[in-house]
Amino acid sequence: MITVKDLHKSFSKVEILKGISAEIQKGEVVVVIGPSGSGKSTFLRCLNLLEQPTSGEIMFEGEQITAKNHNINATREKMGMVFQQFNLFPHKSVLENITLAPMKVRGQSRSDAEKVADELLKTVGLQDKRNAYPSQLSGGQKQRIAIARALAMQPHVMLFDEPTSALDPEMVGEVLEVMKKLAENGMTMVIVTHEMGFAREVGDRILFMDGGRIVEEGAPDQIFSNPSHPRTREFLSKVL
Ligand code: ADP
Ligand code: MG
């Protein structure tokens, strides 16, 4: 579904991504791990062109999205993104948060958008919060709504950037549970997380990043039980 070839990204002449190549298959759950500052967020943001790569190629569903004449908006609609900070619209209800983009961007009718929203609220277990406002929700509930909102655009792939890092510990599980359900339903996902138990259980493949490169990648069991690169070993010894 996604092919990344020799992706480089610099910010004011400082090279942050130093040649990333990766493939993500349809239905695959790829988990990106690595130390803070290693370029995980920049990589994810390049995938949906929130950051413009300095060089390299990204193919998405057979189209080169890094090409000059490419329609970025069409691609972004197919890639849902969930951030550490939930970014819900504070003055809109849960239902409005979820239906806004489908109505405005995809031209869905209100009744169709609300039907989809109600289904998604069921998926994330928050039907009773339909008319609530973000300030009335816990962090875990906000993040589940943010996931529902992203799903409402019917994305082909979901990108998650540390979706549980801003949550109180007791709320991490409910968000991971929703993500696990998505994975089981076949959603293609790229997930940056520090939740190693989740990475091992739900990931099909782990990418370990350090210093702007993918240093090692492999099946969860291999990476977690038998990492081959010294930097992977060192990182895991600190976080496990
Ligand atoms: P990670 O998500 O692995 O912690 P990031 O991709 O956020 O790493 O950041 C990698 C490096 O890129 C950091 O040194 C960070 O300061 C730098 N960086 C990220 N975004 C920008 C930006 N918009 N401008 C300048 N530097 C940035
Ligand atoms: Mg980050």
Side-chain angles (χ1 to χ4, degrees), residues 32-45:
V32 183
I33 62 172
S36 178
S38 58
K40 304 181 299 297
S41 294
T42 304
F43 172 53
L44 215 57
R45 294 166 62 83

Side-chain angles (χ1 to χ4, degrees), residues 9-12 14-17 34-45 51 161-162 192 194 209:
K9 175 65 183 174
S10 301
F11 292 108
S12 50
V14 181
E15 190 169 49
I16 300 300
L17 298 183
S36 178
S38 58
K40 304 181 299 297
S41 294
T42 304
F43 172 53
L44 215 57
R45 294 166 62 83
E51 298 290 356
D161 193 358
E162 298 198 29
V192 176
H194 293 292
M209 282 185 68

Side-chain angles (χ1 to χ4, degrees), residues 48-69:
N48 69 353
L49 304 175
L50 280 179
E51 298 290 356
Q52 184 64 42
T54 308
S55 67
E57 263 179 35
I58 303 172
M59 305 279 295
F60 173 58
E61 298 185 324
E63 260 189 277
Q64 196 189 323
I65 64 173
T66 37
K68 286 260 174 324
N69 59 358

Side-chain angles (χ1 to χ4, degrees), residues 210 229-239:
D210 195 14
H229 200 287
R231 266 142 78 190
T232 319
R233 264 180 250 144
E234 189 200 339
F235 173 74
L236 290 175
S237 74
K238 287 181 191 151
V239 298

